[in-house]
């Protein structure tokens, strides 16, 4: 069996790793000109399902390295005012495993065949049941299954399910990273909590590595090369749905909304890495209509993009990867037909994917009043 995966995000790479470990050929095609050509996000929290999924997709020899580059998360999820006084609670405390998205992505990339500058322009199902993917700047690729793991603007979804389109909630947020130094020790109670300002919310999260990733890889898995980064604070400011950046840089746009805030909060933004601060929009994709069974399917944000306020986007994509991996291994082993295996994956994925989008949207108004939810 041969599988073509379009998109080198966490879900697509996890699937490719899991298939590779089972002896199934998997090629990854990425539209970006290079693996690190654009912003790839920061700290994220994996729930038990998401963490086990990525663990099961990786070779067991890398499990000690994975365990060394994550941290356990436990946050009270308080609501604080701009002077760091507690004014409420968001709900039950959140636990899980914290991982850096960039570090995890590099681990997942190791050993895979990844073709960059490979923007999909379309695909054709051939008479023998295989599928040929066409690309703008490279030769077509033929496989038994084409998996669209190419995000909110999925080119694969555009052909497979053209009536499934993203919804823009109107909410924008700025995300950035600041080195975690002793200067910001007093902010520890704000990690995992929401700081509620005048029409904006600031969210902070600490990323502390048990061992710096580069050194951990050198010691535990010499065949893996991980980024040389240290501990940091990930921050994100959610702007009003009618907000404007007023032609400011992402960093200055945040500071312009922090008049009178605690000086350590302002210092955190002032000392951020400007090259790793960016403006993003919150768009969702809700899985609705099922497409006809065939050798093409979707995974992750391509079919169920969630609001980041739900904390379940990466978890759901990794769950997809592990479920599809298992079904394809069954098909490759002859215990079930390929289309039956893909169909079973899709039935389950549609159900839990729709629930992930719904629950993420339910949490959005707590951070961005006035967001469009439908």
């Amino acid at each position: 069996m041969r599988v073509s995966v379009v998109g080198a995000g966490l879900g697509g790479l996890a699937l490719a790793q899991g298939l590779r470990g089972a002896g199934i050929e998997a090629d990854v095609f990425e539209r970006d000109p290079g693996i690190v050509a654009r912003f790839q996000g920061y700290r994220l929290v994996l729930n038990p399902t998401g963490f086990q999924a990525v663990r099961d997709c990786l070779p067991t020899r890398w499990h000690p390295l994975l365990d060394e580059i994550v941290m356990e998360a436990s946050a009270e999820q308080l609501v604080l005012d701009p002077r760091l006084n507690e004014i409420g609670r968001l709900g039950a405390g959140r636990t899980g495993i914290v991982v850096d998205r960039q570090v995890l992505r590099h681990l997942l990339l190791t050993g895979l065949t990844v073709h960059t500058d490979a923007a999909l322009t379309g695909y054709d199902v051939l008479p023998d049941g295989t599928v040929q993917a066409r690309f703008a700047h490279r030769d077509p690729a033929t496989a038994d299954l084409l998996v669209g793991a190419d995000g909110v603007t999925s080119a694969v979804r555009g052909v497979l399910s053209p009536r499934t389109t993203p919804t823009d909630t109107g909410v924008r947020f700025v995300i950035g990273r600041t080195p975690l130094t002793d200067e910001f020790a007093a902010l520890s109670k704000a990690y995992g909590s929401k700081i509620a300002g005048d029409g904006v919310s600031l969210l902070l999260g600490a990323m502390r590595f048990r061992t710096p990733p580069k050194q951990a890889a050198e010691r535990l898995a010499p065949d893996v090369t991980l980024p040389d980064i240290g501990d940091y604070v990930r921050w994100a400011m959610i702007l009003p749905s009618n907000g404007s950046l007023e032609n400011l840089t992402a960093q200055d746009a945040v500071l312009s909304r922090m008049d009178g805030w605690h000086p350590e909060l302002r210092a955190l933004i002032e000392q951020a890495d400007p090259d790793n601060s960016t403006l993003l929009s919150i768009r969702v994709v809700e899985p609705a209509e099922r497409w006809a069974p065939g050798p093409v399917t979707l995974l992750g944000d391509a079919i169920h993009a969630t609001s980041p306020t739900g904390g379940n986007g990466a978890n759901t994509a990794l769950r997809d990867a592990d479920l599809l991996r298992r079904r394809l291994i069954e098909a490759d082993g002859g215990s079930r037909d390929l289309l039956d295996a893909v169909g079973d994956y899709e039935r389950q994925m549609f159900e839990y994917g729709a629930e992930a989008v719904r629950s993420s949207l339910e949490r959005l108004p707590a951070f961005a009043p006035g967001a469009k939810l439908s």
Side-chain angles (χ1 to χ4, degrees), residues 148 151-152 157 164 283-288 291 298-307 312-321 345-346 348-358 360:
V152 175
R157 187 191 65 235
T164 304
R283 293 174 291 171
V284 299
V285 175
E286 299 184 65
W291 46 84
L298 299 171
L299 178 155
D301 284 358
I303 184 58
H304 47 63
T306 65
S307 165
N312 55 11
N315 285 294
T316 311
L318 292 170
R319 181 178 179 180
D320 289 351
Y345 156 73
E346 290 174 350
Q348 295 187 56
M349 177 271 288
F350 262 68
E351 183 175 349
Y352 65 70
E355 172 58 24
V357 177
R358 185 196 61 77
S360 76

Side-chain angles (χ1 to χ4, degrees), residues 42-43 175-181 184-185 187-188 190-192 203-208 230-236 265 268-269 272-273 276:
Y42 300 131
R43 170 191 187 272
I175 189 168
R177 181 177 71 194
T178 303
L180 180 54
T181 63
F184 302 120
L187 295 179
S188 59
Y191 300 151
L203 311 176
L204 307 181
M207 183 70 238
R208 298 184 181 92
D231 298 348
Y232 63 84
V233 179
R234 187 272 298 135
W235 51 264
L265 290 173
L268 184 74
I269 308 303
D273 177 1
N276 282 287

Side-chain angles (χ1 to χ4, degrees), residues 9-11 39-47 50-51 54 66 69-74 94-105 108 175 204-209 232-235 301 308 310-318:
L10 297 184
F39 174 80
Q40 291 292 336
Y42 300 131
R43 170 191 187 272
L44 51 85
V45 180
L46 298 181
N47 60 30
F51 185 64
V54 74
L66 178 65
I69 58 174
V70 301
M71 61 175 277
E72 293 185 3
S74 179
R94 187 181 180 195
T95 59
I97 298 295
V98 180
V99 63
D100 178 85
R101 181 187 294 267
Q102 180 188 16
V103 170
L104 179 58
R105 187 166 180 254
L108 289 168
I175 189 168
L204 307 181
M207 183 70 238
R208 298 184 181 92
F209 298 102
Y232 63 84
V233 179
R234 187 272 298 135
W235 51 264
D301 284 358
N312 55 11
N315 285 294
T316 311
L318 292 170

Side-chain angles (χ1 to χ4, degrees), residues 155-170:
V156 178
R157 187 191 65 235
V159 179
L160 180 63
S161 183
R163 290 194 294 178
T164 304
T165 57
T167 298
D168 192 336
T169 65

Side-chain angles (χ1 to χ4, degrees), residues 75-255:
E76 293 188 72
Q77 291 196 300
L78 306 174
V79 181
L80 309 174
D81 69 16
R83 304 297 299 181
L84 298 180
N85 300 304
E86 182 179 340
I87 57 175
R89 290 179 178 267
L90 284 170
R94 187 181 180 195
T95 59
I97 298 295
V98 180
V99 63
D100 178 85
R101 181 187 294 267
Q102 180 188 16
V103 170
L104 179 58
R105 187 166 180 254
H106 275 77
L107 177 58
L108 289 168
L109 282 163
T110 304
L112 295 181
T113 301
V114 180
H115 308 277
T116 56
D117 198 21
L120 185 100
T121 59
Y123 63 81
D124 300 295
V125 178
L126 304 180
D128 63 356
T130 60
V131 57
Q132 185 180 73
R134 304 189 306 274
F135 303 94
H137 303 298
R138 59 164 288 115
D139 293 337
T142 303
D144 298 289
L145 180 68
L146 175 66
V147 181
D150 46 343
V152 175
T153 60
S154 172
V156 178
R157 187 191 65 235
V159 179
L160 180 63
S161 183
R163 290 194 294 178
T164 304
T165 57
T167 298
D168 192 336
T169 65
V171 179
R172 304 289 181 267
F173 67 106
V174 181
I175 189 168
R177 181 177 71 194
T178 303
L180 180 54
T181 63
D182 292 341
E183 179 180 355
F184 302 120
L187 295 179
S188 59
K189 73 175 182 178
Y191 300 151
S193 298
K194 179 182 83 168
I195 302 163
D198 184 13
V200 300
S201 297
L202 182 66
L203 311 176
L204 307 181
M207 183 70 238
R208 298 184 181 92
F209 298 102
R210 291 171 181 165
T211 301
K214 185 174 185 293
Q215 291 92 305
E218 290 170 348
R219 177 167 58 89
L220 296 171
D223 56 330
V224 177
T225 300
L226 296 183
D228 187 12
I229 63 174
D231 298 348
Y232 63 84
V233 179
R234 187 272 298 135
W235 51 264
M237 177 172 279
I238 300 178
L239 305 173
S241 56
N242 60 352
S244 169
L245 282 183
E246 302 158 357
N247 297 318
L248 298 174
T249 65
Q251 201 171 0
D252 286 342
V254 174
L255 290 170

